[in-house]
Amino acid sequence: MVTMQQIADMAGVHKSTVDKVLHNRPGVSEPVRKKIQKLLEEYDYQPNRAAQALQYRKRQWNIGIVLVQVDALTVLQGGVLRGLKAYKDFNIKTRFVTVRTWEADKMADTIRKMTAEKFDGIILSPINTEEVRNAVTEAAEQEIPVVTVNADLEGVPRMCFVGQDGAKASRVAGRLMAECLGKKGQIAVVTSAVAEENNNYYVKIREESFIRYVREKYPNIIITDCIESMENMEMTRQKTMELLEKEPELDGIYITCGGVAEVAETVARVGKAGRIKVIGYESYPKIIELIKDDCITLTIDSEIERQGRLAVQNLMQFLLNGRKPETNIFTDINIVLKELL
């Protein structure tokens, strides 16, 4: 059986160059890469898995985790940390960076720094701006795999996305809202950002798919307003109060993003808990408490903790075994009602 050193000798390169090709790492010109790949196929090279595993345990793996400071942060971060525990036998060095929803430039700069430092991989909950999209593209061009989690980006070569199918979940939310209202009434949408830039792409999908579905399927449900919260809790309370004053006959509120608790508490404060149907996402303890108190009608959970674990698992399986994941890895859509608690 041919060895890695023999492949290197035949290709006229160092053994480390063959290793880079085997594990799809940067630093090899395309002609040399093709030459080595041809030799690997011709001689049916089979790596020494035991030696490889030992080598991988000795080397340091640098993983960047860049997350947005939203309601889901602690849950998502907890899932990432639990995912990393499965690889505790490996020498993994992580760099956690959190940014606020309006700090897209900071996120892009962070990704570029990790790219310049040749990180082995990046787990990213992205803000959907051109700067961030460009930074992810640059990382991919340097063959640094990027896994987007809980939110995604449009038109960028990230390795995979881990999260909920936002379009499907929003249609489920539309159907449930319609059933709660008897298929007629007035509703409003609370979203993080309406502008094309500085939005969360999957929140945008939740917003647009919901509105389109309700208008197509339920002509007797009128969407009166779409307000943006920017994931700012005080702004969410203020804009919800303004909405309730402006629309005294409102029957329902659909929230695409964080701030579900703040919306529900504001509705309760004006004495309309239960009368105004409130539907949002996720199942943090505070949301469960408000469901039990009839302030939130139902929530659609997207398994955020599991998203964090799956993001780590798929990145590490690629780095260790070259196993490329599916482009989209969707977590389950779980409906949480008071009767199920």
Side-chain angles (χ1 to χ4, degrees):
M1 185 171 65
V2 70
T3 66
M4 186 188 296
Q5 185 60 61
Q6 288 172 319
I7 294 288
D9 291 341
M10 285 185 280
V13 298
H14 192 274
K15 184 178 174 181
S16 63
T17 305
V18 178
D19 186 68
K20 286 179 181 178
V21 173
L22 279 168
H23 301 103
N24 199 28
R25 289 197 289 271
V28 184
S29 69
E30 195 57 31
V32 172
R33 186 179 295 276
K34 288 181 178 178
K35 183 179 181 180
I36 292 171
Q37 286 172 336
K38 185 177 180 181
L39 287 167
L40 291 169
E41 292 171 8
E42 182 180 346
Y43 288 93
D44 191 25
Y45 172 77
Q46 298 297 322
N48 184 330
R49 294 296 181 188
Q52 186 181 72
L54 180 61
Q55 179 188 358
Y56 279 0
R57 278 172 168 78
K58 288 180 178 178
R59 69 156 285 186
Q60 179 174 294
W61 298 91
N62 294 306
I63 306 298
I65 299 108
V66 188
L67 306 177
V68 181
Q69 294 178 22
V70 294
D71 284 6
L73 176 61
T74 56
V75 182
L76 182 58
Q77 192 170 26
V80 169
L81 291 171
R82 277 183 277 279
L84 289 167
K85 280 185 179 179
Y87 297 91
K88 59 181 174 33
D89 292 337
F90 293 85
N91 181 18
I92 298 176
K93 183 178 180 181
T94 59
R95 184 183 300 172
F96 271 91
V97 178
T98 61
V99 304
R100 289 168 291 189
T101 55
W102 57 88
E103 294 181 319
D105 288 346
K106 179 181 175 182
M107 175 175 280
D109 288 344
T110 299
I111 296 166
R112 288 193 170 101
K113 285 176 184 175
M114 291 175 175
T115 300
E117 293 175 39
K118 301 189 183 304
F119 270 51
D120 294 292
I122 300 171
I123 294 171
L124 173 70
S125 181
I127 301 169
N128 186 37
T129 68
E130 185 176 1
E131 272 299 290
V132 173
R133 290 192 294 271
N134 288 342
V136 171
T137 300
E138 290 163 19
E141 288 171 350
Q142 295 299 314
E143 300 187 30
I144 297 174
V146 177
V147 175
T148 56
V149 60
N150 192 241
D152 203 6
L153 292 166
E154 257 180 310
V156 299
R158 47 57 168 175
M159 184 172 72
C160 71
F161 163 71
V162 179
Q164 192 178 67
D165 183 335
K168 183 183 287 186
S170 66
R171 293 193 294 270
V172 170
R175 171 70 182 273
L176 292 170
M177 179 66 84
E179 295 297 335
C180 287
L181 299 183
K183 301 180 182 178
K184 61 182 180 180
Q186 299 180 33
I187 65 174
V189 175
V190 177
T191 194
S192 61
V194 176
E196 285 299 311
E197 286 294 310
N198 209 48
N199 66 60
N200 176 311
Y201 175 60
Y202 259 58
V203 166
K204 181 182 173 185
I205 292 294
R206 286 175 177 176
E207 172 201 333
E208 293 179 349
S209 296
F210 175 88
I211 291 173
R212 183 165 54 248
Y213 179 83
V214 169
R215 285 176 175 166
E216 288 175 358
K217 299 291 184 180
Y218 304 103
N220 293 323
I221 294 179
I222 307 302
I223 299 172
T224 63
D225 297 85
C226 184
I227 62 176
E228 58 182 15
S229 68
M230 298 299 293
E231 303 274 356
N232 180 297
M233 299 307 102
E234 188 53 46
M235 184 184 293
T236 301
R237 293 187 189 94
Q238 178 186 338
K239 289 199 171 185
T240 302
M241 185 62 75
E242 292 171 358
L243 171 69
L244 296 173
E245 291 170 354
K246 178 187 172 187
E247 305 288 351
E249 302 303 316
L250 202 65
D251 300 296
I253 301 177
Y254 166 65
I255 306 110
T256 68
C257 53
V260 178
E262 285 70 23
V263 171
E265 287 170 342
T266 304
V267 170
R269 197 172 299 124
V270 299
K272 293 187 177 182
R275 195 194 81 71
I276 294 180
K277 307 304 178 185
V278 177
I279 294 177
Y281 290 87
E282 311 318 338
S283 57
Y284 321 128
K286 183 65 175 178
I287 288 178
I288 295 300
E289 177 187 326
L290 289 167
I291 290 176
K292 289 178 179 178
D293 291 341
D294 295 316
C295 296
I296 295 175
T297 310
L298 61 90
T299 190
I300 301 172
D301 183 69
S302 68
E303 302 186 305
I304 287 181
E305 193 272 346
R306 182 169 171 242
Q307 290 177 23
R309 287 187 282 115
L310 286 174
V312 173
Q313 177 184 316
N314 282 278
L315 176 59
M316 293 308 299
Q317 285 297 316
F318 175 73
L319 294 176
L320 297 174
N321 303 316
R323 188 184 304 161
K324 196 166 185 180
E326 295 292 323
T327 302
N328 293 307
I329 300 166
F330 291 132
T331 50
D332 291 338
I333 297 172
N334 297 315
I335 313 303
V336 182
L337 301 158
K338 181 178 181 180
E339 289 75 14
L340 295 173
L341 299 175

